[in-house]
Each structure stands twice: as structure tokens, then as C-alpha cells.
Amino acid sequence: MAAVFLVTLYEYSPLFYIALVSVCFLVTSALVLGWFGLGVPVILRNSEEAESSTRVLKKRMRQVKNPFGLEIPNPAAASVTRGVTLTPDCLEDCVLTCYWGCNVQKLHEALQKHVYCFRIKTPQALEDALYNEYLYKQQHFIKRNDKAEKYCQLPEDAQVVDFGPVPRARYPLVALLTLADEEDREIHDIIAMVAVIHIPDESYRLSCRILYQYLLLAQGQYHDLKQLFMSANSPAPSSSDTFPGESSTGTGLLEKAGVAGDEPELQEENSKDCVVCQNGPVNWVLLPCRHTCLCDGCIKYFQQCPMCRQFVQESFPLCSKKEQDEDEPTHV
């Protein structure tokens, strides 16, 4: 019966027949793709279908207090011959130990020893794990909440002007922050922080910056800190001494949360609006791309990052709903 109808319709108007078949094909394809959730525009489905088919895993997070912070206040003036200025910001009394020319392989072996052999709680423990494979060591005692600048420089008799071509066998500078008091090591989960810092020299003139940061936990794990990429809705304030990579942990919440801040977007304080609805505050981090661009209301509708279009494998909030409710009166 249907075949007779189609044949009659074709004889009556071929163009109308072709248009009708095309529309039927598009609707059928949209329904099939929508059933499997394969990137069909949300307009073809209602909000309940879109929400249920795009739900991604929420990563279980554990909040810990990071007692360490480290910045490079004037990266443009840093070099191997002139030295570098570091600004620690610690919640407890700490010891800042700087190792010039630290062996790359020995450092990563030392991090593995923290996991499988012994805990690196003190500078001596790291030096034992490195087998003293470094050129020069400097040490500073840091009082609690003391943000005084510490100057680090190779001695003139070291006669080091560069660390050779890339790839290198030695890191220019490795900074270790450890808790000074034994009692503080029992309180905090994070007992040490290792920062790998690039210092420009004659062979490699890349500007001074923190390359890697590792947080060492008392339980025997260590975590490689990664920067978050936050949406920027307005231009960041200009600064003559800032550039991507100068800050290790940022300021404010990001600083104490232990989030590395290598990008200028993290310094933008006014870019708090969700990139989709432009109304709710940004609260969700998408993995693995690490874009922080969605609010609590929009996160459930996306399985791809709205900024880079990468599929979202996991996500986690910057703060819980309870913390947001507690902060609400303060902002008002």
C-alpha cells in the first residue's frame, strides 16, 4: 500500500516526492543518533533526554591543605650568572633548600624512592636519595607567613654559565620546601614540595619559570600539579613583571588548594561567569582538558568541553555546594 502511494506521488510530483523522502531520512537519522547519544544537536531532543544522555562521571575528590607556596617575583631578571629571587609563602615554619644543577634522572629516582623506600621529609632525605648529584646547595629558614624574598645564586668559583643543550642531564634549579618542625609533619598530609625551575643561560634563553611541581604526601604518594585553564570574559590587568609560568600556586583559593598556575587566565579575577549561560559562577573542572568553564547548572548537559570540544571523561567541582552557600553572604 505504501509502495503504491509513493509511486503515485512520484508520478504526480517528482520534486515533492524527493523532498518528502529526504525529510523522512533526516528525521529517522536524527532519531537513531539521538537514541545512541552521538552528538545530535540538543534542539532535536528535549532537555530531559539531553541531560540523561550527556552525564559524565564526577571524580571523587579529597580536600587537603597545602602548607607550601612559591613564586618567582621578577622572572625577567633571573639568569644562571645573576641568580634568581624566590618568594615562599608557607602556613608553617619551613626550610627552603635550593639545589643548582640537580641530576634529572636522580631526581625522578628520588621521587620513586619516596613512594617505595623512605619518605622525603627533610632536605637530608632528598640528598641521600639524589646521592648528592647536584652542583651547589643553598638553604633558607622560612618563618610562618613570611613572604620575604630569598636570593639564590651560584658562587663565582663554580664557573657555570650554562647547563648544555636540550635535552639536558641536569635541571638548572630544584627548590625543596619542607616543614621545619616534626609536629607539623604529623599534622599535614603534604610534607614536602619539589619545584623544578628553569633558569635562562647562554645555551637556552627560555624565560625563567616553574616547569614542574610535585607535592609529596606523608602516605608515600606524590602528585604532579597541573594548571587549570579558566575562561576569561574580560582582559586581565596588565603587569610589567608577569608572564605565563611565573607563579607556582597562584594566590587566594588556588594558592592554598595546591593548583599550579602557569597561565594568565588563573590571574583573572573577573572571569567568573559560566561560558554557556553567562550567569552562574564557574565551579566545574573538566578532565582531561582541565578547562574550568561551567557552572553547577550547565555541567549536566555537556559530554564535550564547550571550549575545546574534547570529550569529558571526568569532572570535579572547585568547591562544594555547602561551601558556596557559606560564601554567599560574604559576596553579597
Side-chain angles (χ1 to χ4, degrees):
M1 192 69 179
V4 174
F5 172 75
L6 291 176
V7 170
T8 304
L9 182 63
Y10 179 78
E11 292 177 350
Y12 176 74
S13 177
L15 292 178
F16 183 74
Y17 168 82
I18 295 173
L20 179 62
V21 172
S22 300
V23 171
C24 293
F25 173 77
L26 291 176
V27 172
T28 304
S29 301
L31 291 175
V32 172
L33 293 176
W35 179 266
F36 293 101
L38 299 177
V40 182
V42 178
I43 195 173
L44 296 179
R45 292 173 283 161
N46 60 45
S47 60
E48 294 180 356
E49 292 174 343
E51 179 179 344
S52 61
S53 64
T54 59
R55 188 169 297 164
V56 298
L57 295 176
K58 294 182 179 180
K59 193 175 183 68
R60 296 179 62 87
M61 305 298 292
R62 184 169 68 93
Q63 186 175 9
V64 296
K65 181 184 291 186
N66 178 17
F68 307 110
L70 189 67
E71 292 183 354
I72 304 174
N74 191 13
S79 70
V80 169
T81 55
R82 295 193 301 267
V84 63
T85 302
L86 303 178
T87 303
D89 181 13
C90 303
L91 300 179
E92 308 290 349
D93 292 346
C94 296
V95 177
L96 172 63
T97 310
C98 298
Y99 301 95
W100 288 90
C102 182
N103 186 280
V104 173
Q105 181 177 352
K106 294 298 182 183
L107 176 63
H108 290 281
E109 290 178 358
L111 294 175
Q112 294 301 317
K113 289 178 181 178
H114 174 79
V115 178
Y116 299 107
C117 300
F118 54 85
R119 305 292 175 258
I120 298 178
K121 300 180 179 180
T122 63
Q124 185 60 49
L126 179 61
E127 292 163 20
D128 293 340
L130 291 173
Y131 296 104
N132 296 322
E133 286 287 339
Y134 54 86
L135 302 180
Y136 182 68
K137 180 183 79 171
Q138 288 177 284
Q139 200 166 71
H140 304 276
F141 181 78
I142 311 298
K143 293 291 291 183
R144 178 179 180 178
N145 295 325
D146 180 15
K147 299 183 180 181
E149 296 181 351
K150 305 299 179 182
Y151 184 67
C152 302
Q153 185 181 22
L154 277 167
E156 294 182 0
D157 56 7
Q159 297 181 350
V160 177
V161 294
D162 62 61
F163 290 93
V166 179
R168 292 175 162 177
R170 295 180 181 271
Y171 286 127
L173 182 64
V174 172
L176 172 69
L177 277 168
T178 53
L179 296 169
D181 297 332
E182 184 66 32
E183 296 179 357
D184 293 334
R185 299 173 197 153
E186 301 297 330
I187 298 175
H188 291 278
D189 291 326
I190 300 174
I191 57 176
M193 184 182 77
V194 177
V196 178
I197 304 174
H198 169 73
I199 310 293
D201 55 28
E202 296 295 333
S203 297
Y204 196 43
R205 297 185 179 277
L206 179 70
S207 55
C208 179
R209 64 190 63 196
I210 295 177
L211 299 178
Y212 310 104
Q213 277 186 294
Y214 304 101
L215 292 181
L216 280 58
L217 276 63
Q219 295 79 12
Q221 302 94 7
Y222 73 91
H223 298 289
D224 181 11
L225 296 186
K226 300 291 186 181
Q227 71 270 21
L228 300 182
F229 304 105
M230 300 192 73
S231 59
N233 297 330
S234 57
S238 60
S239 176
S240 58
D241 295 331
T242 59
F243 69 100
E246 74 171 50
S247 175
S248 62
T249 51
T251 57
L253 175 64
L254 293 178
E255 179 178 14
K256 300 310 175 187
V259 180
D262 293 13
E263 297 293 328
E265 288 85 352
L266 285 181
Q267 300 175 6
E268 175 56 59
E269 298 180 356
N270 298 324
S271 57
K272 297 181 180 179
D273 293 338
C274 172
V275 298
V276 178
C277 66
Q278 298 291 316
N279 185 28
V282 168
N283 189 42
W284 283 87
V285 180
L286 309 180
L287 299 177
C289 65
R290 303 196 303 274
H291 278 121
T292 309
C293 56
L294 294 176
C295 65
D296 293 331
C298 295
I299 180 65
K300 55 188 176 183
Y301 297 108
F302 287 87
Q303 67 182 27
Q304 288 178 276
C305 174
M307 298 188 70
C308 66
R309 302 293 184 254
Q310 186 172 0
F311 279 95
V312 179
Q313 298 178 5
E314 292 178 309
S315 61
F316 68 91
L318 289 176
C319 58
S320 63
K321 185 67 176 176
K322 181 179 178 181
E323 292 172 334
Q324 288 182 341
D325 294 339
E326 292 175 353
D327 291 342
E328 189 76 19
T330 305
H331 294 319
V332 172

